[in-house]
Amino acid sequence: MDNEYLIFGMRLLGSLALLMFGMKLMSETLQKMAGPQLRHVLGRMTTNRFTGMLTGVGVTAAVQSSTATTVMTVSFVSAGLLTLAQAISIIMGANIGTTLTAWIIWAGSTFNITDYVWPAFLVAFILIYRQRWKNVGDFLFGLSFLLLGLGTLRQTGADMHLDQNEAVVSFFASFDPESFRTTLLFLLIGGVLTMCVQSSAAVMAITMLLCSSGALPIYQGIALVMGENIGTTVTSNIVAYSAGTQARRAAFAHMFFNLFGVCWILLIFRPFVNMVCWLAGDNLSMVLATFHTCFNVINTSILIWFIPQIERLVCRVIKSNPQTADDGEEPTRLRYINGGLMETPEISLLQAQKEIGLFGQRTQRMFGMVRELLHMKPGEEFVKLFSRIEKYEGICDSMEYEIGIYLEQVSDAHLSDESKSKIRRMLREISELESIGDACYNMARTLNRKQEGLEDFTAAQYEHLEQLMQLCDDSLTQMNTTMSGPREEYSLNRTQDIELAINSLRAELKSRNLDDVNAHQYSYTIGTTYTDLLNECEKLGDYVVNVVEARLG
């Protein structure tokens, strides 16, 4: 008997593993096929709270993952493409969209799906080896694993005869079904289980199995489903803890949504469950799916009118606390890539692109400091500004390394060809941006060496350096403009024109410098320092062109 229960336990765990793997593979494949389109949908179809909610429903139903929708939404908020209010409406819709999973599990429990799974595996295997249909094959594989898991779970439940097992029946019978404390206990169990297995679908499948077998009363089963709703939000809040302020706010809004719903359901628990049972009939699996849908639809219908108030509440609870550098101006850590909620590889690239945009802005700010350093006299202020430039150079090195590591991790995931190409372009962008930072630091070091000597540039040299640096600044401005918008709207022409102007002026100034040194207008040493600055400006212009080329592909 013990061996029999061990086999049943292994079958149960194995079927849940198949279910979770199939759901994950389906979600990843759909995101891979439609990742860019989903980003456009989220960015454009959120003109008001209702379209935002419908967008959340549609996207979550499409990718079969409310987590994926939440990740996309949070990334858009962090990137400034969506407001927090729009994000809250999408998250509300995601809660409705995720109820489709319960209906899929219910459908899998109504007939023997495994009879149809094996041909699907064969078709999927053939499609995977046809490159053109590989994504469709991957999706079909995921669906087949999901259905096989559901079928095995259903058969295992039937073979276990849980309703005739004295130990199981007496365990659940030991709880008073009329007690409010029992409802709270099962709600807690549902939340803890969801946090442990990291899958609300798995907990829903277990709950349907127990209820449909007759072992678990429907009231306790629904309490488990309520706990599952809270468990998913606790997990997202733990993940978001290491992320940015907006990510934490969005995760907290998700938790508030479900906690509010659970609170009002508990006030009318039995009448509400009786109404759902009346709607769904005697099929207890269908009752659970119906309850899950009604809970989220009604909860959304109530809270969608109070989105501004929810936004104010989460902003009051999660206060902005940006980390700043020692000078109080510049964050020393990455702003968009912050280790949280990055479970969706296709959407992670959006975070990386925003971080690279910030990288470009920092290099231009660093160059502005170099221009300021050029006109400063020796003293404490010069040393302080040089130290800041030195710090920025360290930040640039760190950003290149951290973004590069992040992109390397993302590249290991299941990506479309377009996204793989984008990663290659991004890696080139960060390498060239780091070179811009090096060029700025080299100029600062050259100016520092000049200050240690007794000679200074002539008025003409200062004027010419200012002309060349203005062209470099124009080039950096054009680079950052190109990086901040859709690449289809920009071309390389403007950047190349500025780079040609930099090269032409630098060649002219180098030639004039030789004549001035020969005419003894200044020493060879100061002429060499002057030439070093000209050369670094020319290199900077080349690096900018390389960044824009990489960005435009």
Side-chain angles (χ1 to χ4, degrees):
M1 183 64 70
D2 289 341
N3 288 337
E4 184 179 6
Y5 279 116
L6 178 62
I7 292 172
F8 280 136
M10 296 304 293
R11 282 177 61 185
L12 185 66
L13 292 174
S15 58
L16 287 174
L18 283 174
L19 170 69
M20 293 163 64
F21 176 75
M23 191 73 72
K24 183 175 185 292
L25 185 57
M26 282 175 59
S27 177
E28 287 181 350
T29 305
L30 283 167
Q31 291 169 55
K32 177 182 175 182
M33 291 190 290
Q37 287 75 18
L38 290 177
R39 291 198 291 273
H40 291 311
V41 167
L42 277 178
R44 294 176 182 176
M45 293 186 63
T46 53
T47 53
N48 59 58
R49 67 187 75 181
F50 299 104
T51 56
M53 182 268 292
L54 292 173
T55 301
V57 173
V59 172
T60 304
V63 301
Q64 277 300 289
S65 173
S66 59
T67 301
T69 306
T70 304
V71 168
M72 285 188 276
T73 304
V74 169
S75 68
F76 270 50
V77 174
S78 298
L81 301 176
L82 286 179
T83 65
L84 183 60
Q86 290 172 318
I88 293 171
S89 68
I90 293 173
I91 289 171
M92 287 181 179
N95 277 273
I96 297 176
T98 197
T99 61
L100 179 63
T101 304
W103 289 104
I104 292 174
I105 296 172
W106 166 75
S109 67
T110 56
F111 62 96
N112 191 6
I113 293 180
T114 53
D115 293 342
Y116 306 93
V117 164
W118 309 115
F121 271 121
L122 177 61
V123 174
F125 183 80
I126 295 171
L127 292 176
I128 285 174
Y129 280 90
R130 295 177 64 86
Q131 194 62 32
R132 183 180 176 185
W133 300 99
K134 183 177 184 301
N135 289 335
V136 177
D138 285 340
F139 172 78
L140 193 54
F141 242 132
L143 180 61
S144 301
F145 275 118
L146 185 149
L147 296 178
L148 179 61
L150 285 175
T152 308
L153 187 68
R154 172 181 173 275
Q155 190 58 48
T156 302
D159 294 342
M160 290 175 71
H161 302 291
L162 292 173
D163 58 328
Q164 300 173 19
N165 187 303
E166 278 190 40
V168 174
V169 173
S170 61
F171 172 77
F172 289 118
S174 65
F175 298 97
D176 181 5
E178 302 294 329
S179 172
F180 184 69
R181 185 180 299 175
T182 298
T183 302
L184 291 180
L185 177 62
F186 275 82
L187 190 150
L188 178 63
I189 293 172
V192 172
L193 276 176
T194 305
M195 290 170 59
C196 291
V197 301
Q198 294 286 295
S199 173
S200 57
V203 178
M204 177 63 78
I206 293 172
T207 307
M208 284 188 173
L209 170 65
L210 290 171
C211 286
S212 60
S213 67
L216 179 67
I218 189 62
Y219 292 106
Q220 281 93 315
I222 285 180
L224 285 176
V225 173
M226 290 163 60
E228 164 212 316
N229 278 271
I230 296 176
T232 53
T233 66
V234 171
T235 303
S236 64
N237 273 269
I238 292 172
V239 174
Y241 182 78
S242 61
T245 301
Q246 294 290 54
R248 295 198 300 273
R249 286 172 175 170
F252 182 75
H254 190 198
M255 174 178 276
F256 174 82
F257 175 87
N258 285 289
L259 281 173
F260 177 85
V262 167
C263 288
W264 69 258
I265 281 287
L266 287 174
L267 294 176
I268 55 169
F269 184 67
R270 287 191 169 273
F272 189 84
V273 174
N274 292 337
M275 181 199 73
V276 171
C277 291
W278 175 76
L279 287 172
D282 298 330
N283 189 315
L284 297 187
S285 293
M286 188 175 181
V287 170
L288 290 170
T290 304
F291 170 82
H292 197 209
T293 302
C294 290
F295 168 79
N296 283 290
V297 170
I298 295 174
N299 205 27
T300 299
S301 301
I302 295 171
L303 290 179
I304 198 168
W305 303 101
F306 300 97
I307 286 178
Q309 289 78 10
I310 296 172
E311 181 181 19
R312 286 197 292 271
L313 173 65
V314 298
C315 289
R316 190 175 294 119
V317 173
I318 311 291
K319 298 185 183 299
S320 180
N321 184 27
Q323 286 188 315
T324 57
D326 296 337
D327 55 31
E329 292 185 7
E330 194 64 32
T332 58
R333 55 170 286 180
L334 300 181
R335 183 181 300 173
Y336 301 107
I337 299 171
N338 33 43
L341 294 174
M342 289 296 101
E343 299 174 7
T344 314
E346 294 282 347
I347 310 306
S348 298
L349 297 183
L350 174 67
Q351 301 295 86
Q353 189 60 61
K354 295 300 295 184
E355 202 68 70
I356 293 171
L358 179 62
F359 195 174
Q361 294 169 19
R362 284 179 175 171
T363 57
Q364 185 168 15
R365 195 172 297 122
M366 185 180 180
F367 182 70
M369 294 178 198
V370 173
R371 294 181 69 182
E372 187 179 344
L373 196 71
L374 174 65
H375 299 286
M376 293 186 72
K377 299 299 180 184
E380 186 179 337
E381 291 300 316
F382 183 95
V383 173
K384 184 177 178 181
L385 184 56
F386 179 75
S387 296
R388 279 190 67 197
I389 295 172
E390 209 166 23
K391 184 191 297 183
Y392 266 67
E393 202 274 334
I395 291 174
C396 288
D397 289 345
S398 176
M399 288 190 74
E400 182 201 18
Y401 174 77
E402 293 184 40
I403 297 173
I405 292 295
Y406 182 78
L407 290 173
E408 184 180 358
Q409 293 171 347
V410 175
S411 67
D412 292 335
H414 206 49
L415 296 172
S416 63
D417 292 338
E418 178 189 349
S419 294
K420 290 176 183 176
S421 175
K422 188 177 294 184
I423 287 178
R424 289 192 293 272
R425 295 198 305 268
M426 287 180 176
L427 289 171
R428 186 184 174 199
E429 285 178 49
I430 60 174
S431 175
E432 299 296 339
L433 285 169
E434 195 275 334
S435 296
I436 293 174
D438 287 343
C440 292
Y441 183 51
N442 288 337
M443 283 187 257
R445 290 170 60 192
T446 300
L447 291 170
N448 190 46
R449 286 198 307 271
K450 180 182 78 70
Q451 296 289 42
E452 295 172 358
L454 300 176
E455 292 184 87
D456 196 3
F457 293 138
T458 65
Q461 284 178 311
Y462 274 116
E463 182 182 348
H464 295 148
L465 281 171
E466 188 58 40
Q467 290 174 1
L468 188 60
M469 287 186 171
Q470 181 59 53
L471 284 173
C472 289
D473 194 62
D474 292 343
S475 182
L476 288 165
T477 299
Q478 183 63 26
M479 176 191 78
N480 285 319
T481 301
T482 303
M483 292 174 68
S484 65
R487 55 197 187 99
E488 298 80 12
E489 297 180 6
Y490 298 96
S491 72
L492 191 60
N493 296 338
R494 173 60 181 157
T495 303
Q496 286 180 326
D497 290 343
I498 299 174
E499 200 261 343
L500 288 174
I502 291 172
N503 291 346
S504 176
L505 181 57
R506 171 252 193 180
E508 178 188 338
L509 295 178
K510 283 188 71 174
S511 176
R512 185 179 299 180
N513 176 64
L514 289 175
D515 294 338
D516 292 341
V517 170
N518 290 332
H520 303 292
Q521 293 189 19
Y522 43 80
S523 70
Y524 176 78
T525 302
I526 202 70
T528 302
T529 302
Y530 178 65
T531 303
D532 288 343
L533 291 174
L534 299 180
N535 289 337
E536 289 299 335
C537 284
E538 191 271 335
K539 289 179 185 177
L540 187 147
D542 290 341
Y543 298 142
V544 168
V545 171
N546 293 340
V547 171
V548 176
E549 281 182 346
R551 169 63 177 155
L552 298 179

